Amino acid sequence: MPELLAQTAVQDALGRSPSSRCPSGDSPASGSSAGRSRALGAQWEATLTVTERGIAYIRHAVRAHLRRWDREDAEAVTVLGVSELLTNVLRHAGTPEARIAVRAETAGVYVVVSDLDRRFPVVGAADLLSEDGRGLAMLEALADGFGVTATPSGKDVWFRVACTGARRLGGPGGGT
């Protein structure tokens, strides 16, 4: 998987002002993970600095694009997966810099999160009393495909979520 690039601000990709759609009325630029993003047809990409607060903005952007592309049936697993992968960047990658790409395909949704850490994530079972450590195992169980690919600068962690039934790509004003 090639590394992902991005160009403009998150609110531009959504086509609205940040305060009109972001949680708590805050803008992505105010202490969040917003960096640069772009929407190209049925794909949305962003380069960002991951923060705990910013993960909510990215979930919101992903949800908005899934709805625009008529992919609501993949929304729950996709948003969960995005949250898990960005949280792992924040907790384990050593640097909060990351890139994300979400693409609507004929059969479903494909997501890649790239970071600068060369170490691959470990999918394992957490002990019963642990408060964390289950996210990747849960994502691997819920997604229709999951993997990690080394890149020259780190790694891409990806997953696929299948959609039920035939879907058209795009919605009002978007898609291919």
Side-chain angles (χ1 to χ4, degrees):
M1 215 54 40
E3 293 189 50
L4 309 171
L5 302 174
Q7 302 298 321
T8 59
V10 171
Q11 59 270 29
D12 293 341
L14 294 174
R16 17 182 106 76
S17 69
S19 62
S20 69
R21 299 291 299 190
C22 290
S24 307
D26 295 327
S27 77
S30 63
S32 80
S33 64
R36 297 169 296 160
S37 75
R38 70 178 174 187
L40 297 171
Q43 181 163 316
W44 177 74
E45 302 175 351
T47 300
L48 53 131
T49 300
V50 181
T51 64
E52 283 190 36
R53 183 177 172 195
I55 292 171
Y57 295 114
I58 299 303
R59 280 194 311 261
H60 180 78
V62 168
R63 189 176 291 117
H65 284 285
L66 292 173
R67 291 176 181 171
R68 181 178 182 197
W69 300 327
D70 195 23
R71 292 293 191 271
E72 291 90 348
D73 51 347
E75 187 176 315
V77 175
T78 302
V79 171
L80 173 82
V82 165
S83 291
E84 177 58 30
L85 296 184
L86 291 177
T87 298
N88 283 352
V89 169
L90 188 60
R91 291 185 181 170
H92 305 293
T95 177
E97 304 308 313
R99 286 173 276 188
I100 182 172
V102 181
R103 182 174 66 230
E105 299 177 336
T106 302
V109 176
Y110 179 73
V111 177
V112 180
V113 172
S114 303
D115 66 45
L116 301 174
D117 187 0
R118 295 183 189 276
R119 296 172 297 159
F120 278 28
V122 177
V123 179
D127 78 42
L128 293 173
L129 299 177
S130 178
E131 292 185 18
D132 56 12
R134 295 178 183 84
L136 286 178
M138 183 172 54
L139 177 59
E140 187 175 44
L142 293 173
D144 296 294
F146 173 82
V148 183
T149 305
T151 66
S153 62
K155 67 180 171 298
D156 290 345
V157 183
W158 61 270
F159 65 94
R160 288 186 190 278
V161 179
C163 289
T164 57
R167 296 289 197 179
R168 66 174 170 46
L169 292 182
T176 56

